[in-house]
Amino acid sequence: MVKNIVLLGFMGTGKSIIGRRLAVELKYQFIDTDHFIEKRTQRRIPDIFSEDGETYFRALEAEAVSVVARWNGYVIATGGGVPLNKANVEVLKGNGILVALSARPEVILRRVQRRSGQRPLLNNPDPRAEIEKLLSQREASYRCAEIQVDTSDIPVEKSVNLIIDQIKPLLGTA
Ligand code: S3P
């Protein structure tokens, strides 16, 4: 059975774009947990946050994770808060290789501002301070991944290649 490759990391670290390219390169399928939730509920993430709150969203997210983690041969891009829930990490680790993407706060800010309105947690008068606060709360949870890539200063293709180089020995195809 082909293990999944699971991308973890803060908003704006490149999980979706890198994940899609990685899937093409490796001939894997691609799924993004946020898209899975939006498709399943027929609602947008910001609407779920504003109408039902974060706790409700986290429950939907845990359910999405438990479904997609059972699939095989997928690159799974996760929402930035997924590893805060240890049960999510356990279930993803059971059938996948975890890769954590990171980036510096100013790079994250620049990237998320390109699609403002999509990230309810950063819908805040001082998004830079919010990014730093959340990063410091979450840093430890992203360390559960066996592969770590800082995407701040490198193009998408380079991140993809760095991941492939580190993943091959773990897939047994080196
Ligand atoms: C969140 C990240 C978002 C999305 C939701 C909450 C978070 O996903 O799941 O807005 O808690 O960091 P991305 O990391 O894909 O932006």
Side-chain angles (χ1 to χ4, degrees), residues 41-126:
T41 59
Q42 291 292 301
R43 299 170 72 191
R44 292 181 59 248
I45 305 284
D47 296 337
I48 299 173
F49 265 78
S50 65
E51 290 159 18
D52 294 305
E54 182 172 349
T55 306
Y56 181 76
F57 171 74
R58 296 297 173 203
L60 291 177
E61 183 171 66
E63 192 198 339
V65 165
S66 73
V67 173
V68 302
R70 277 189 256 121
W71 299 349
N72 294 296
Y74 270 78
V75 173
I76 303 173
T78 60
V82 160
L84 293 172
N85 178 341
K86 290 214 170 71
N88 288 342
V89 174
E90 287 313 308
V91 72
L92 288 165
K93 219 170 192 168
N95 194 29
I97 299 166
L98 307 190
V99 178
L101 304 184
S102 62
R104 292 189 305 277
E106 72 275 14
V107 176
I108 290 173
L109 181 63
R110 181 164 32 90
R111 290 178 183 165
V112 298
Q113 278 175 339
R114 281 190 217 135
R115 282 169 68 223
S116 59
Q118 304 261 343
R119 262 80 174 213
L121 290 178
L122 301 179
N123 200 356
N124 181 292
D126 189 350

